[in-house]
Amino acid sequence: NKLLRSDTNPNGLSAKTIKNLHGVLHKAMKQAVMIGYIKVNPTDACVLPRVEKKEVSFIEEDGIKALLNVIKGHQFEKVYKVDLFTGMRQGEILGLTWDCVDFDSGILTVNKQLQKEHIKGGQYSLVSCKTDRVRRIKPASFIMDTLKQQRIKQKEERLRAGGAWCNDWNLVF
């Protein structure tokens, strides 16, 4: 509990992180009890801090208009726009592949995410989504049009790059 973030310890850990740490230690200690290394699991006596869910807030219409004006012409305008109007997580949108974009039905399939592997020296990989559940999103038609523009732009960039082109994962962004 001394690790918990508070007014006196602003660099501390969140209650959720402490709960996760406890879970790992609890499982290890449970195994130690099963093997006979210890008689009692000391983590059973821990009193964990209460995890409070933050209330989700949304951008108001004026804020959306202001954001769209700010990103207009930016090199990442399309990714920001798709993100804003689909609610996809950062890893999901960066892991979106063209085979998950169905222009005919206007549906995006979210089944993987781009993730940085800390163990493998910071390499990126495509992994299953957090919940392993496949989500289907039917965004507004202007978002599908934005994705069509991205597809055209990407094909133009591929032609310009020639043999130097590399998009082995078939990523949209």
Side-chain angles (χ1 to χ4, degrees):
N1 286 333
K2 289 180 182 177
L3 297 173
L4 186 62
R5 186 181 308 132
S6 65
D7 294 337
T8 57
N9 185 15
N11 295 327
L13 303 173
S14 71
K16 175 76 170 136
T17 301
I18 290 173
K19 185 177 178 184
N20 291 345
L21 285 170
H22 175 268
V24 171
L25 290 172
H26 182 75
K27 193 168 186 176
M29 295 294 163
K30 183 178 177 182
Q31 186 66 33
V33 170
M34 286 173 53
I35 296 171
Y37 288 163
I38 57 178
K39 291 184 183 216
V40 179
N41 187 339
T43 61
D44 286 339
C46 293
V47 178
L48 297 174
R50 199 169 135 237
V51 177
E52 295 178 19
K53 288 194 172 190
K54 295 179 183 176
E55 189 174 319
V56 178
S57 60
F58 300 94
I59 302 174
E60 299 292 329
E61 189 176 339
D62 292 342
I64 291 171
K65 288 177 183 175
L67 178 61
L68 290 172
N69 284 331
V70 169
I71 64 172
K72 194 172 198 111
H74 190 277
Q75 66 176 343
F76 300 124
E77 176 183 2
K78 290 177 183 73
V79 71
Y80 291 148
K81 198 181 282 188
V82 171
D83 185 31
L84 181 64
F85 290 101
T86 63
M88 293 169 68
R89 295 178 181 94
Q90 179 181 358
E92 293 171 343
I93 199 160
L94 295 177
L96 184 65
T97 54
W98 285 115
D99 61 305
C100 293
V101 179
D102 185 344
F103 289 111
D104 294 331
S105 64
I107 292 177
L108 304 179
T109 302
V110 182
N111 59 7
K112 59 190 159 299
Q113 62 185 342
L114 186 68
Q115 193 173 64
K116 189 173 188 175
E117 299 290 336
H118 298 291
I119 298 169
K120 298 179 184 176
Q123 293 178 347
Y124 287 90
S125 61
L126 289 175
V127 298
S128 298
C129 289
K130 202 162 125 176
T131 61
D132 283 336
R133 250 184 49 229
V134 174
R135 286 186 1 250
R136 289 184 178 28
I137 300 171
K138 186 161 179 70
S141 59
F142 74 93
I143 293 300
M144 294 307 288
D145 291 342
T146 299
L147 289 168
K148 286 177 186 172
Q149 293 167 9
Q150 174 66 11
R151 184 103 167 136
I152 292 166
K153 179 184 169 203
Q154 200 177 78
K155 285 180 178 181
E156 290 170 351
E157 289 173 354
R158 183 179 188 166
L159 287 173
R160 275 195 299 276
W165 177 259
C166 182
N167 186 4
D168 296 337
W169 290 338
N170 200 25
L171 296 172
V172 173
F173 297 106

